[in-house]
Amino acid sequence: MSQRKRSKGSGFSQGNDEDEDYGVSQTPTHTQVQRNLERRSQDQVNQKVSELVQFLLVKDQKKIPIKRVDILKKVIREYKDVYSEIVNRAGRTLQQVFGLQLVEIDTKHHIYILTSDLPRAEGEIMHRDNQTAKLGLLMVILSFIFMKGNSAKDGAVWEFLRRLRLQPGERHEVFGDVKKLVTEEFVRQKYLEITPIPLTDPPEFKYQWGPRAAKETSKKNVLRFVAKIQGKDPTFWVSQHHEAES
Amino acid sequence: ENREDMLSSKSNRLTEALEEANKLFSGVSCAREAALDAQFLVLASNIGKEKANELHSQMTSFDSLAFAEDLLTFMGINRIEVEENDSDSEGIPGGYLPSNAWHKLGEETEKYFRRAPSFHYMLGSFKSDPPVPRQRIERQKKATGGEEKRAMPAQLKKMEESHQEATEKEVERILGLLQTHFKNDPDTPISFFDLVIDPNSFARTVENIFHVSFIIRDGFARLKLDDDKLPIIEPLKDNKGKRDDHSTGARNQAVISLSHQEWK
Protein backbone atom coordinates (compact mmCIF):
# COMPACT_ATOMS: atom_id res chain seq x y z
CA MET A 1 0.00 0.00 0.00
CA SER A 2 2.79 2.41 0.84
CA GLN A 3 4.36 2.42 -2.58
CA ARG A 4 1.08 3.41 -4.18
CA LYS A 5 0.71 6.63 -2.22
CA ARG A 6 3.05 8.51 -4.48
CA SER A 7 0.83 8.01 -7.48
CA LYS A 8 -2.41 9.11 -5.87
CA GLY A 9 -4.07 11.44 -8.33
CA SER A 10 -0.80 12.14 -10.11
CA GLY A 11 -0.68 13.13 -13.74
CA PHE A 12 2.48 11.80 -15.27
CA SER A 13 3.49 8.23 -14.99
CA GLN A 14 6.73 6.47 -15.63
CA GLY A 15 7.05 5.42 -19.21
CA ASN A 16 3.44 4.62 -19.81
CA ASP A 17 3.12 6.36 -23.13
CA GLU A 18 -0.48 5.71 -24.00
CA ASP A 19 -1.86 7.25 -20.84
CA GLU A 20 -0.39 10.68 -21.67
CA ASP A 21 -1.68 13.50 -19.50
CA TYR A 22 -4.33 11.38 -17.94
CA GLY A 23 -2.09 8.66 -16.79
CA VAL A 24 -3.33 6.41 -14.11
CA SER A 25 -0.24 4.32 -14.13
CA GLN A 26 -0.73 2.73 -10.75
CA THR A 27 -4.40 2.80 -10.03
CA PRO A 28 -5.34 4.14 -6.62
CA THR A 29 -6.33 1.49 -4.15
CA HIS A 30 -9.89 1.01 -3.09
CA THR A 31 -9.45 2.86 0.20
CA GLN A 32 -7.75 5.74 -1.55
CA VAL A 33 -10.63 6.00 -3.95
CA GLN A 34 -13.12 5.98 -1.11
CA ARG A 35 -11.21 8.78 0.58
CA ASN A 36 -11.08 10.79 -2.64
CA LEU A 37 -14.78 10.19 -3.07
CA GLU A 38 -15.54 11.88 0.22
CA ARG A 39 -13.90 15.05 -1.00
CA ARG A 40 -16.23 15.26 -3.97
CA SER A 41 -19.84 16.33 -4.18
CA GLN A 42 -22.04 13.32 -4.69
CA ASP A 43 -24.16 15.10 -7.26
CA GLN A 44 -21.16 15.82 -9.40
CA VAL A 45 -19.90 12.27 -9.19
CA ASN A 46 -23.30 10.96 -10.18
CA GLN A 47 -23.34 13.41 -13.03
CA LYS A 48 -20.06 11.94 -14.25
CA VAL A 49 -21.52 8.46 -13.98
CA SER A 50 -24.47 9.46 -16.17
CA GLU A 51 -22.17 11.06 -18.68
CA LEU A 52 -20.07 7.94 -18.83
CA VAL A 53 -23.11 5.74 -19.38
CA GLN A 54 -24.24 7.90 -22.28
CA PHE A 55 -20.73 8.04 -23.68
CA LEU A 56 -20.40 4.27 -23.63
CA LEU A 57 -23.79 3.70 -25.22
CA VAL A 58 -23.02 5.99 -28.10
CA LYS A 59 -19.46 4.79 -28.59
CA ASP A 60 -20.77 1.24 -28.81
CA GLN A 61 -22.96 2.01 -31.82
CA LYS A 62 -20.27 1.05 -34.31
CA LYS A 63 -19.08 -1.82 -32.14
CA ILE A 64 -15.57 -0.48 -32.02
CA PRO A 65 -14.08 -1.16 -28.59
CA ILE A 66 -13.72 1.79 -26.24
CA LYS A 67 -10.35 2.73 -24.84
CA ARG A 68 -9.85 3.82 -21.27
CA VAL A 69 -7.68 6.67 -22.51
CA ASP A 70 -10.66 8.11 -24.33
CA ILE A 71 -12.90 7.66 -21.33
CA LEU A 72 -10.46 9.53 -19.12
CA LYS A 73 -9.89 12.32 -21.58
CA LYS A 74 -13.43 12.93 -22.68
CA VAL A 75 -15.58 12.11 -19.68
CA ILE A 76 -13.71 11.63 -16.43
CA ARG A 77 -11.20 14.46 -16.79
CA GLU A 78 -10.50 15.99 -13.40
CA TYR A 79 -12.31 13.20 -11.59
CA LYS A 80 -9.67 10.64 -12.44
CA ASP A 81 -8.86 10.06 -8.82
CA VAL A 82 -12.24 8.39 -8.42
CA TYR A 83 -12.14 6.76 -11.83
CA SER A 84 -12.68 3.22 -10.62
CA GLU A 85 -15.73 4.20 -8.61
CA ILE A 86 -17.30 6.00 -11.57
CA VAL A 87 -16.67 3.06 -13.86
CA ASN A 88 -18.12 0.60 -11.38
CA ARG A 89 -21.26 2.65 -10.92
CA ALA A 90 -21.62 3.10 -14.66
CA GLY A 91 -21.32 -0.64 -15.11
CA ARG A 92 -24.01 -1.22 -12.51
CA THR A 93 -26.32 1.28 -14.18
CA LEU A 94 -25.79 -0.33 -17.55
CA GLN A 95 -26.61 -3.68 -16.10
CA GLN A 96 -29.62 -2.71 -14.04
CA VAL A 97 -31.17 -0.24 -16.42
CA PHE A 98 -30.17 -1.49 -19.85
CA GLY A 99 -29.32 -5.11 -19.28
CA LEU A 100 -25.83 -4.57 -20.66
CA GLN A 101 -22.45 -5.70 -19.45
CA LEU A 102 -19.37 -3.51 -19.51
CA VAL A 103 -16.56 -5.94 -20.25
CA GLU A 104 -12.84 -5.27 -20.31
CA ILE A 105 -11.50 -7.33 -23.18
CA ASP A 106 -7.92 -6.15 -22.88
CA THR A 107 -6.61 -5.76 -19.36
CA LYS A 108 -3.22 -4.55 -20.53
CA HIS A 109 -4.38 -1.73 -22.75
CA HIS A 110 -7.68 -1.28 -20.95
CA ILE A 111 -10.23 -1.63 -23.70
CA TYR A 112 -13.93 -2.14 -23.10
CA ILE A 113 -16.95 -3.42 -24.97
CA LEU A 114 -20.64 -3.64 -24.18
CA THR A 115 -22.39 -6.96 -24.37
CA SER A 116 -25.91 -7.95 -23.61
CA ASP A 117 -26.68 -9.44 -20.25
CA LEU A 118 -29.84 -11.02 -21.51
CA PRO A 119 -30.35 -13.68 -24.13
CA ARG A 120 -31.99 -12.59 -27.31
CA ALA A 121 -35.73 -13.08 -27.10
CA GLU A 122 -37.67 -14.64 -29.93
CA GLY A 123 -39.07 -12.54 -32.71
CA GLU A 124 -37.60 -9.41 -31.24
CA ILE A 125 -35.82 -7.86 -34.16
CA MET A 126 -37.45 -4.49 -34.62
CA HIS A 127 -35.36 -3.05 -37.36
CA ARG A 128 -33.92 -4.56 -40.46
CA ASP A 129 -30.50 -3.21 -41.15
CA ASN A 130 -27.21 -4.46 -42.40
CA GLN A 131 -26.02 -5.38 -38.92
CA THR A 132 -28.08 -8.55 -38.89
CA ALA A 133 -26.73 -9.74 -42.22
CA LYS A 134 -23.17 -8.97 -41.14
CA LEU A 135 -23.69 -11.00 -38.00
CA GLY A 136 -24.75 -13.92 -40.14
CA LEU A 137 -21.56 -13.71 -42.12
CA LEU A 138 -19.51 -13.39 -38.96
CA MET A 139 -21.11 -16.47 -37.44
CA VAL A 140 -20.33 -18.46 -40.53
CA ILE A 141 -16.67 -17.49 -40.32
CA LEU A 142 -16.47 -18.10 -36.58
CA SER A 143 -18.04 -21.52 -37.03
CA PHE A 144 -15.58 -22.43 -39.72
CA ILE A 145 -12.65 -21.36 -37.58
CA PHE A 146 -13.85 -23.25 -34.53
CA MET A 147 -14.71 -26.43 -36.33
CA LYS A 148 -11.33 -26.42 -37.99
CA GLY A 149 -9.60 -26.32 -34.63
CA ASN A 150 -9.76 -22.68 -33.51
CA SER A 151 -7.58 -21.49 -36.31
CA ALA A 152 -7.84 -21.42 -40.07
CA LYS A 153 -5.69 -20.17 -42.89
CA ASP A 154 -6.99 -17.33 -44.99
CA GLY A 155 -6.87 -19.45 -48.10
CA ALA A 156 -9.15 -22.00 -46.56
CA VAL A 157 -11.53 -19.36 -45.19
CA TRP A 158 -11.96 -17.66 -48.53
CA GLU A 159 -12.35 -20.92 -50.39
CA PHE A 160 -15.18 -21.69 -48.02
CA LEU A 161 -16.74 -18.24 -48.43
CA ARG A 162 -16.62 -18.57 -52.17
CA ARG A 163 -18.93 -21.53 -51.87
CA LEU A 164 -21.37 -19.13 -50.28
CA ARG A 165 -21.14 -16.81 -53.30
CA LEU A 166 -18.80 -14.34 -51.62
CA GLN A 167 -15.91 -13.33 -53.84
CA PRO A 168 -13.22 -11.16 -52.31
CA GLY A 169 -12.74 -9.21 -55.51
CA GLU A 170 -16.37 -8.62 -56.40
CA ARG A 171 -18.83 -6.18 -54.93
CA HIS A 172 -21.54 -8.00 -53.00
CA GLU A 173 -25.08 -6.65 -53.08
CA VAL A 174 -25.47 -6.89 -49.33
CA PHE A 175 -21.94 -6.54 -47.96
CA GLY A 176 -20.24 -4.42 -50.57
CA ASP A 177 -16.53 -4.97 -50.23
CA VAL A 178 -16.58 -8.33 -48.46
CA LYS A 179 -12.85 -8.53 -48.08
CA LYS A 180 -12.75 -5.14 -46.36
CA LEU A 181 -15.63 -6.11 -44.10
CA VAL A 182 -13.94 -9.28 -42.98
CA THR A 183 -10.32 -8.19 -42.79
CA GLU A 184 -10.86 -4.64 -41.53
CA GLU A 185 -14.23 -4.06 -39.91
CA PHE A 186 -14.51 -7.37 -38.09
CA VAL A 187 -10.91 -7.06 -36.94
CA ARG A 188 -11.35 -3.50 -35.69
CA GLN A 189 -14.44 -4.55 -33.80
CA LYS A 190 -12.36 -7.34 -32.24
CA TYR A 191 -14.57 -10.09 -33.59
CA LEU A 192 -11.73 -11.60 -35.57
CA GLU A 193 -8.00 -11.74 -35.16
CA ILE A 194 -5.94 -12.03 -38.29
CA THR A 195 -2.23 -12.59 -37.86
CA PRO A 196 0.41 -13.24 -40.49
CA ILE A 197 2.01 -16.66 -40.63
CA PRO A 198 5.78 -16.22 -40.43
CA LEU A 199 8.04 -17.15 -43.28
CA THR A 200 5.31 -17.59 -45.81
CA ASP A 201 5.84 -16.32 -49.28
CA PRO A 202 3.46 -15.06 -50.60
CA PRO A 203 2.34 -14.01 -47.09
CA GLU A 204 -0.46 -16.04 -45.59
CA PHE A 205 -2.64 -15.24 -42.63
CA LYS A 206 -4.17 -17.05 -39.74
CA TYR A 207 -7.79 -16.36 -38.79
CA GLN A 208 -8.87 -16.76 -35.20
CA TRP A 209 -11.61 -15.59 -32.91
CA GLY A 210 -11.21 -12.10 -31.51
CA PRO A 211 -11.82 -11.23 -27.85
CA ARG A 212 -15.25 -9.72 -28.58
CA ALA A 213 -16.40 -12.94 -30.23
CA ALA A 214 -15.32 -14.86 -27.15
CA LYS A 215 -17.42 -12.59 -24.93
CA GLU A 216 -20.52 -12.30 -27.10
CA THR A 217 -20.85 -15.93 -27.97
CA SER A 218 -19.30 -19.22 -27.01
CA LYS A 219 -17.92 -22.37 -28.58
CA LYS A 220 -20.94 -24.14 -27.25
CA ASN A 221 -23.30 -21.74 -28.99
CA VAL A 222 -21.42 -21.94 -32.21
CA LEU A 223 -21.47 -25.72 -32.15
CA ARG A 224 -25.22 -25.59 -31.52
CA PHE A 225 -25.56 -23.34 -34.54
CA VAL A 226 -23.59 -25.67 -36.78
CA ALA A 227 -25.56 -28.63 -35.50
CA LYS A 228 -28.83 -26.89 -36.23
CA ILE A 229 -27.82 -25.93 -39.75
CA GLN A 230 -26.65 -29.42 -40.53
CA GLY A 231 -29.51 -31.16 -38.80
CA LYS A 232 -27.25 -33.14 -36.54
CA ASP A 233 -26.64 -33.45 -32.85
CA PRO A 234 -23.72 -31.45 -31.42
CA THR A 235 -22.18 -34.61 -30.07
CA PHE A 236 -21.61 -35.69 -33.66
CA TRP A 237 -18.37 -33.78 -33.63
CA VAL A 238 -16.66 -35.43 -30.71
CA SER A 239 -13.59 -33.29 -30.13
CA GLN A 240 -15.31 -30.01 -30.86
CA HIS A 241 -18.09 -30.96 -28.53
CA HIS A 242 -15.62 -31.88 -25.89
CA GLU A 243 -13.86 -28.59 -26.24
CA ALA A 244 -17.11 -26.64 -26.22
CA GLU A 245 -18.17 -28.27 -23.00
CA SER A 246 -14.94 -27.69 -21.16
CA GLU B 1 7.19 -25.67 -51.75
CA ASN B 2 6.09 -29.05 -50.80
CA ARG B 3 4.31 -27.67 -47.78
CA GLU B 4 0.98 -29.32 -48.36
CA ASP B 5 2.70 -32.56 -49.03
CA MET B 6 4.66 -32.39 -45.81
CA LEU B 7 1.56 -31.45 -43.87
CA SER B 8 -0.30 -34.50 -44.92
CA SER B 9 -0.51 -36.85 -42.01
CA LYS B 10 0.38 -39.74 -44.16
CA SER B 11 3.73 -38.43 -45.20
CA ASN B 12 6.99 -38.87 -43.47
CA ARG B 13 8.59 -36.31 -45.66
CA LEU B 14 9.19 -33.90 -42.82
CA THR B 15 11.11 -36.50 -40.91
CA GLU B 16 13.05 -37.38 -44.01
CA ALA B 17 13.91 -33.77 -44.65
CA LEU B 18 15.11 -33.32 -41.06
CA GLU B 19 17.29 -36.36 -41.31
CA GLU B 20 18.79 -35.11 -44.52
CA ALA B 21 19.47 -31.70 -43.01
CA ASN B 22 21.21 -33.34 -40.12
CA LYS B 23 23.49 -35.19 -42.49
CA LEU B 24 24.23 -32.11 -44.47
CA PHE B 25 25.12 -30.10 -41.40
CA SER B 26 28.18 -32.19 -40.71
CA GLY B 27 29.59 -30.95 -44.02
CA VAL B 28 28.99 -27.28 -43.11
CA SER B 29 32.08 -25.15 -42.82
CA CYS B 30 31.08 -21.51 -43.36
CA ALA B 31 28.63 -19.16 -41.71
CA ARG B 32 26.27 -18.73 -44.65
CA GLU B 33 25.56 -22.44 -44.75
CA ALA B 34 24.91 -22.44 -41.05
CA ALA B 35 22.46 -19.59 -41.48
CA LEU B 36 20.64 -21.56 -44.13
CA ASP B 37 20.51 -24.49 -41.82
CA ALA B 38 19.01 -22.32 -39.08
CA GLN B 39 16.42 -21.05 -41.52
CA PHE B 40 15.52 -24.56 -42.47
CA LEU B 41 15.07 -25.49 -38.83
CA VAL B 42 12.63 -22.64 -38.27
CA LEU B 43 10.65 -23.67 -41.31
CA ALA B 44 10.64 -27.25 -40.25
CA SER B 45 9.44 -26.45 -36.77
CA ASN B 46 6.62 -24.32 -38.17
CA ILE B 47 5.49 -27.16 -40.34
CA GLY B 48 5.80 -29.45 -37.39
CA LYS B 49 3.51 -27.20 -35.36
CA GLU B 50 0.96 -27.13 -38.13
CA LYS B 51 1.04 -30.85 -38.43
CA ALA B 52 0.35 -31.10 -34.74
CA ASN B 53 -2.62 -28.76 -35.15
CA GLU B 54 -3.94 -30.78 -38.00
CA LEU B 55 -3.73 -33.86 -35.87
CA HIS B 56 -6.00 -32.30 -33.30
CA SER B 57 -8.70 -31.11 -35.67
CA GLN B 58 -8.66 -34.21 -37.70
CA MET B 59 -9.92 -36.18 -34.78
CA THR B 60 -13.39 -35.34 -35.85
CA SER B 61 -13.08 -34.05 -39.35
CA PHE B 62 -15.33 -31.24 -40.31
CA ASP B 63 -16.83 -31.34 -43.74
CA SER B 64 -16.92 -27.71 -44.68
CA LEU B 65 -18.41 -28.44 -48.06
CA ALA B 66 -21.44 -30.02 -46.55
CA PHE B 67 -21.68 -27.14 -44.08
CA ALA B 68 -21.65 -24.64 -46.94
CA GLU B 69 -24.39 -26.51 -48.73
CA ASP B 70 -26.52 -26.69 -45.64
CA LEU B 71 -26.05 -22.98 -45.07
CA LEU B 72 -27.21 -22.21 -48.58
CA THR B 73 -30.23 -24.39 -48.06
CA PHE B 74 -31.06 -22.56 -44.87
CA MET B 75 -30.72 -19.24 -46.64
CA GLY B 76 -33.29 -20.39 -49.14
CA ILE B 77 -31.31 -21.11 -52.23
CA ASN B 78 -33.11 -21.90 -55.42
CA ARG B 79 -31.28 -24.72 -57.04
CA ILE B 80 -31.51 -24.52 -60.81
CA GLU B 81 -32.11 -27.87 -62.41
CA VAL B 82 -29.68 -27.22 -65.20
CA GLU B 83 -27.03 -29.72 -66.01
CA GLU B 84 -23.83 -27.81 -66.48
CA ASN B 85 -20.60 -29.68 -66.83
CA ASP B 86 -18.41 -26.67 -67.04
CA SER B 87 -19.77 -23.95 -64.77
CA ASP B 88 -18.08 -20.56 -64.56
CA SER B 89 -16.06 -21.52 -61.49
CA GLU B 90 -14.97 -25.02 -60.65
CA GLY B 91 -16.87 -26.94 -58.10
CA ILE B 92 -19.49 -24.26 -57.42
CA PRO B 93 -22.92 -25.55 -58.27
CA GLY B 94 -25.59 -23.42 -59.88
CA GLY B 95 -28.29 -21.83 -57.85
CA TYR B 96 -29.87 -18.54 -57.03
CA LEU B 97 -29.75 -16.95 -53.60
CA PRO B 98 -32.65 -14.68 -52.66
CA SER B 99 -31.81 -11.13 -51.66
CA ASN B 100 -32.75 -11.64 -48.01
CA ALA B 101 -30.58 -14.74 -47.73
CA TRP B 102 -28.05 -13.24 -45.35
CA HIS B 103 -30.68 -11.41 -43.33
CA LYS B 104 -32.43 -14.67 -42.77
CA LEU B 105 -29.24 -16.29 -41.62
CA GLY B 106 -28.42 -13.28 -39.47
CA GLU B 107 -31.74 -13.48 -37.68
CA GLU B 108 -31.05 -17.04 -36.70
CA THR B 109 -27.56 -16.09 -35.62
CA GLU B 110 -28.77 -13.35 -33.27
CA LYS B 111 -29.98 -16.06 -30.94
CA TYR B 112 -26.51 -17.30 -30.34
CA PHE B 113 -25.01 -13.93 -29.61
CA ARG B 114 -25.19 -11.60 -26.67
CA ARG B 115 -24.65 -8.49 -28.65
CA ALA B 116 -25.61 -5.19 -27.08
CA PRO B 117 -28.25 -3.57 -29.26
CA SER B 118 -27.03 -0.40 -30.89
CA PHE B 119 -28.19 2.57 -28.92
CA HIS B 120 -29.76 5.36 -30.92
CA TYR B 121 -31.65 8.34 -29.69
CA MET B 122 -35.21 8.22 -30.90
CA LEU B 123 -35.33 11.84 -31.81
CA GLY B 124 -32.43 12.28 -34.15
CA SER B 125 -28.81 11.35 -34.26
CA PHE B 126 -26.11 12.16 -31.80
CA LYS B 127 -22.94 13.58 -33.21
CA SER B 128 -20.07 12.29 -31.16
CA ASP B 129 -17.93 15.34 -32.03
CA PRO B 130 -19.77 18.43 -30.84
CA PRO B 131 -17.11 21.07 -31.59
CA VAL B 132 -18.03 21.51 -35.23
CA PRO B 133 -21.74 22.19 -34.82
CA ARG B 134 -21.07 24.33 -31.78
CA GLN B 135 -18.82 26.65 -33.70
CA ARG B 136 -21.43 27.08 -36.36
CA ILE B 137 -24.04 27.89 -33.78
CA GLU B 138 -21.80 30.44 -32.18
CA ARG B 139 -21.13 32.12 -35.48
CA GLN B 140 -24.77 32.20 -36.31
CA LYS B 141 -25.62 33.68 -32.97
CA LYS B 142 -23.07 36.41 -33.39
CA ALA B 143 -24.35 37.20 -36.84
CA THR B 144 -27.96 37.38 -35.83
CA GLY B 145 -27.05 39.28 -32.69
CA GLY B 146 -25.44 41.99 -34.70
CA GLU B 147 -28.34 42.21 -37.01
CA GLU B 148 -30.75 42.34 -34.19
CA LYS B 149 -28.86 45.12 -32.55
CA ARG B 150 -28.91 47.02 -35.75
CA ALA B 151 -32.57 46.42 -36.12
CA MET B 152 -33.30 47.64 -32.64
CA PRO B 153 -31.99 51.18 -32.95
CA ALA B 154 -33.78 51.55 -36.23
CA GLN B 155 -37.01 50.62 -34.59
CA LEU B 156 -36.45 52.88 -31.67
CA LYS B 157 -35.57 55.74 -33.89
CA LYS B 158 -38.81 55.31 -35.67
CA MET B 159 -40.73 55.33 -32.48
CA GLU B 160 -39.04 58.38 -31.17
CA GLU B 161 -39.57 60.14 -34.40
CA SER B 162 -43.21 59.34 -34.40
CA HIS B 163 -43.50 60.71 -30.90
CA GLN B 164 -41.88 63.93 -31.84
CA GLU B 165 -43.83 64.11 -34.98
CA ALA B 166 -47.01 63.51 -33.13
CA THR B 167 -46.25 66.27 -30.69
CA GLU B 168 -45.23 68.69 -33.37
CA LYS B 169 -48.22 67.88 -35.41
CA GLU B 170 -50.51 68.41 -32.52
CA VAL B 171 -48.91 71.70 -31.67
CA GLU B 172 -49.20 72.87 -35.19
CA ARG B 173 -52.74 71.77 -35.35
CA ILE B 174 -53.70 73.66 -32.27
CA LEU B 175 -51.85 76.70 -33.45
CA GLY B 176 -53.65 76.46 -36.72
CA LEU B 177 -56.95 76.30 -34.93
CA LEU B 178 -56.04 79.25 -32.82
CA GLN B 179 -55.01 81.37 -35.77
CA THR B 180 -58.02 80.44 -37.81
CA HIS B 181 -60.31 81.29 -34.96
CA PHE B 182 -58.60 84.56 -34.36
CA LYS B 183 -58.63 85.42 -37.99
CA ASN B 184 -62.33 84.92 -38.13
CA ASP B 185 -62.90 86.82 -35.00
CA PRO B 186 -59.93 89.03 -34.20
CA ASP B 187 -61.37 90.88 -31.34
CA THR B 188 -62.52 88.07 -29.22
CA PRO B 189 -59.80 86.53 -27.21
CA ILE B 190 -60.07 82.86 -26.71
CA SER B 191 -60.45 81.53 -23.31
CA PHE B 192 -57.57 79.32 -22.51
CA PHE B 193 -59.78 76.81 -20.90
CA ASP B 194 -62.17 76.71 -23.76
CA LEU B 195 -59.27 75.87 -25.98
CA VAL B 196 -57.67 73.15 -23.98
CA ILE B 197 -60.43 71.45 -22.17
CA ASP B 198 -61.77 68.34 -23.70
CA PRO B 199 -65.09 67.69 -22.05
CA ASN B 200 -64.79 64.04 -22.65
CA SER B 201 -61.29 63.27 -21.57
CA PHE B 202 -59.16 64.57 -18.74
CA ALA B 203 -56.08 63.03 -20.25
CA ARG B 204 -56.72 64.76 -23.52
CA THR B 205 -57.10 68.05 -21.67
CA VAL B 206 -53.72 67.62 -20.08
CA GLU B 207 -52.25 66.82 -23.44
CA ASN B 208 -53.75 69.93 -24.90
CA ILE B 209 -52.27 72.07 -22.18
CA PHE B 210 -48.96 70.38 -22.89
CA HIS B 211 -49.17 71.24 -26.54
CA VAL B 212 -50.29 74.80 -25.97
CA SER B 213 -47.32 75.36 -23.72
CA PHE B 214 -45.10 74.71 -26.69
CA ILE B 215 -46.91 77.32 -28.67
CA ILE B 216 -46.42 79.85 -25.97
CA ARG B 217 -42.82 78.90 -25.38
CA ASP B 218 -42.02 79.35 -29.00
CA GLY B 219 -43.75 82.67 -29.01
CA PHE B 220 -46.58 81.92 -31.36
CA ALA B 221 -49.15 82.79 -28.82
CA ARG B 222 -49.49 84.68 -25.63
CA LEU B 223 -51.30 84.05 -22.44
CA LYS B 224 -52.90 86.93 -20.73
CA LEU B 225 -55.26 87.42 -17.90
CA ASP B 226 -58.45 89.03 -18.80
CA ASP B 227 -60.55 91.29 -16.70
CA ASP B 228 -61.98 88.36 -14.87
CA LYS B 229 -58.53 87.11 -14.18
CA LEU B 230 -59.13 84.15 -16.41
CA PRO B 231 -56.42 83.20 -18.81
CA ILE B 232 -56.94 83.98 -22.42
CA ILE B 233 -54.81 83.10 -25.29
CA GLU B 234 -54.06 84.98 -28.42
CA PRO B 235 -51.82 84.17 -31.30
CA LEU B 236 -48.93 86.42 -32.14
CA LYS B 237 -47.29 87.07 -35.36
CA ASP B 238 -44.02 85.24 -35.31
CA ASN B 239 -41.63 88.09 -35.66
CA LYS B 240 -43.24 90.21 -33.07
CA GLY B 241 -43.28 87.55 -30.50
CA LYS B 242 -39.71 86.60 -30.86
CA ARG B 243 -38.40 90.08 -31.02
CA ASP B 244 -40.30 91.04 -28.00
CA ASP B 245 -38.94 88.25 -26.02
CA HIS B 246 -35.43 88.98 -27.01
CA SER B 247 -35.56 92.65 -26.14
CA THR B 248 -37.37 92.49 -22.95
CA GLY B 249 -35.78 89.30 -21.92
CA ALA B 250 -38.92 88.67 -20.08
CA ARG B 251 -39.82 85.18 -19.70
CA ASN B 252 -42.56 84.34 -17.45
CA GLN B 253 -43.46 81.07 -16.15
CA ALA B 254 -46.83 80.01 -15.10
CA VAL B 255 -47.86 76.92 -13.37
CA ILE B 256 -51.33 75.86 -14.07
CA SER B 257 -52.75 73.18 -11.99
CA LEU B 258 -55.83 71.42 -12.92
CA SER B 259 -57.15 68.62 -10.92
CA HIS B 260 -59.56 66.09 -12.06
CA GLN B 261 -62.23 67.56 -9.86
CA GLU B 262 -61.72 71.01 -11.20
CA TRP B 263 -61.85 69.70 -14.72
CA LYS B 264 -65.17 68.17 -14.02
Side-chain angles (χ1 to χ4, degrees), chain B residues 213-253:
Chain B
S213 69
F214 278 106
I215 297 173
I216 296 169
R217 180 196 73 170
D218 292 337
F220 292 114
R222 189 168 51 184
L223 262 182
K224 282 201 300 204
L225 286 177
D226 69 0
D227 302 325
D228 297 321
K229 301 281 184 188
L230 288 171
I232 50 166
I233 185 167
E234 56 184 19
L236 295 171
K237 282 186 209 149
D238 296 48
N239 315 343
K240 196 177 177 206
K242 275 182 183 156
R243 235 192 291 126
D244 266 349
D245 278 353
H246 278 303
S247 56
T248 60
R251 278 204 184 272
N252 295 319
Q253 279 185 19

Side-chain angles (χ1 to χ4, degrees), chain A residues 26-239:
Chain A
Q26 288 159 321
T27 47
T29 61
H30 182 73
T31 42
Q32 279 178 326
V33 171
Q34 292 306 310
R35 241 183 287 143
N36 295 338
L37 208 54
E38 279 162 37
R39 286 196 272 117
R40 303 275 191 181
S41 122
Q42 276 315 292
D43 279 342
Q44 293 192 307
V45 175
N46 286 333
Q47 171 78 8
K48 283 293 174 187
V49 174
S50 306
E51 284 174 20
L52 181 57
V53 169
Q54 282 194 39
F55 179 78
L56 291 170
L57 285 169
V58 173
K59 272 290 206 181
D60 186 62
Q61 282 170 356
K62 296 269 188 311
K63 298 296 167 196
I64 294 178
I66 309 146
K67 298 191 214 146
R68 182 162 83 173
V69 181
D70 288 336
I71 294 176
L72 284 168
K73 212 180 344 178
K74 302 224 168 114
V75 183
I76 307 286
R77 299 188 204 225
E78 69 275 14
Y79 282 73
K80 62 179 173 347
D81 59 337
V82 291
Y83 169 77
S84 58
E85 180 67 22
I86 297 176
V87 168
N88 287 341
R89 287 197 206 173
R92 269 206 299 277
T93 306
L94 285 165
Q95 191 171 33
Q96 288 164 4
V97 177
F98 296 94
L100 299 174
Q101 282 268 69
L102 180 63
V103 183
E104 191 170 13
I105 53 169
D106 186 335
T107 47
K108 186 176 168 221
H109 299 106
H110 303 294
I111 300 176
Y112 299 91
I113 57 167
L114 288 182
T115 64
S116 175
D117 224 7
L118 311 161
R120 198 75 179 196
E122 285 286 338
E124 195 193 80
I125 296 166
M126 302 287 159
H127 56 276
R128 270 282 194 93
D129 61 1
N130 223 12
Q131 297 307 314
T132 310
K134 284 185 193 171
L135 197 66
L137 173 60
L138 177 68
M139 181 54 129
V140 158
I141 298 173
L142 291 175
S143 314
F144 183 80
I145 293 171
F146 169 60
M147 298 302 277
K148 281 289 189 191
N150 297 311
S151 166
K153 279 205 290 197
D154 59 346
V157 173
W158 285 101
E159 193 188 316
F160 175 68
L161 290 177
R162 254 182 237 113
R163 294 194 173 276
L164 298 172
R165 319 302 161 97
L166 299 170
Q167 304 276 1
E170 283 172 18
R171 187 162 185 84
H172 192 261
E173 70 170 327
V174 177
F175 301 119
D177 188 344
V178 190
K179 179 128 201 217
K180 191 171 179 195
L181 172 63
V182 173
T183 59
E184 288 180 31
E185 191 170 319
F186 284 164
V187 172
R188 212 168 348 126
Q189 294 172 331
K190 303 280 185 198
Y191 277 123
L192 286 180
E193 221 168 68
I194 301 180
T195 43
I197 301 174
L199 297 175
T200 49
D201 187 36
E204 289 174 39
F205 297 88
K206 183 167 69 173
Y207 283 40
Q208 287 170 304
W209 283 28
R212 189 192 274 274
K215 295 285 182 198
E216 287 190 9
T217 188
S218 63
K219 292 174 181 174
K220 197 166 171 180
N221 274 342
V222 167
L223 184 61
R224 270 177 48 222
F225 170 73
V226 174
K228 177 159 183 188
I229 296 287
Q230 299 221 256
K232 291 186 160 64
D233 193 86
T235 52
F236 178 79
W237 295 273
V238 178
S239 59

